[in-house]
Amino acid sequence: MPISSLSLRRSLPLFIAAALAVLVLLVPVPGSLSVIGTRELASLGAVVPHVELVSEVLLVLLALATVASVTLAWFRTPARRPSLAAGVAGVGVAYAASEALKILFTQPRPCSRWPIAAECPPPGDWSLPSNHATLAFAAAVVIAFAAGRSWASWAAVVLAVLVALGRVAQGVHYLHDVAAGAFLGLVVTAGVALAVGRRDRVRSSSEHRP
């Protein structure tokens, strides 16, 4: 299955995740949905032992799943290798964009405003968008494209959501930070992969044209 022809059923979790991220970013709520959500999740996280490890462990699991799914697809379907490589490159592009936006927005972390984290990153380590969320959802895109299975797409998105919420529960990100990171990871990674897949499809059709 070409990366550019991912079925709606298999890509549905990605669309839902992107829509929810936009909802968190755009819907106005008295008192700020992001601030309220951040305070509530951080309060819950304060009673969870080793909450700071949740996002790290789950992100490693997503990374391993990404490597496994790409490796399997790489050897099973050589024709998809350019698109698979583009998907992996898209993760790097999304991360670079996340770092650039941090410098642009220079938003302090919530734990610098409230004592809600056991260990708060130093000043200058900006909050918006969340790198963890960016990487997690970018990995979910690659897994969905590479695995080509609905259950794999759903599992990857659920893990990515838990990575993002874990960062909020830890007190080092606002809810809108992880929503922005999620949207960035989804859109940039999918955009790079689909662009390369479309280019390969056009090139292949022109080569077979009499």
Side-chain angles (χ1 to χ4, degrees), residues 109-133:
R109 294 179 182 269
C111 54
S112 68
R113 180 180 178 186
W114 309 301
I116 54 177
E119 184 176 350
C120 192
D125 188 345
W126 307 114
S127 182
L128 176 66
S130 163
N131 285 343
H132 280 68

Side-chain angles (χ1 to χ4, degrees), residues 3-4 22 24 47 54 56 68 82 104 109 115 117 120 130 135-137 147 164-165 175 205:
I3 201 167
S4 57
V22 170
V24 171
V47 300
V54 171
E56 306 298 336
L104 176 64
R109 294 179 182 269
C120 192
S130 163
L135 288 173
F137 282 91
L165 294 181
L175 197 58
S205 63

Side-chain angles (χ1 to χ4, degrees), residues 135-173:
L135 288 173
F137 282 91
V141 171
V142 176
I143 292 169
F145 284 165
R149 298 288 185 273
S150 294
W151 66 264
S153 300
W154 281 108
V157 167
V158 168
L159 285 178
V161 169
L162 292 176
V163 168
L165 294 181
R167 295 295 282 173
V168 180
Q170 189 180 339
V172 295
H173 278 295

Side-chain angles (χ1 to χ4, degrees), residues 51-63:
V51 66
E52 69 279 359
L53 297 178
V54 171
S55 293
E56 306 298 336
V57 171
L58 294 179
L59 192 58
V60 170
L61 287 177
L62 274 171

Side-chain angles (χ1 to χ4, degrees), residues 59-72:
L59 192 58
V60 170
L61 287 177
L62 274 171
L64 293 175
T66 302
V67 171
S69 59
V70 169
T71 301
L72 192 60

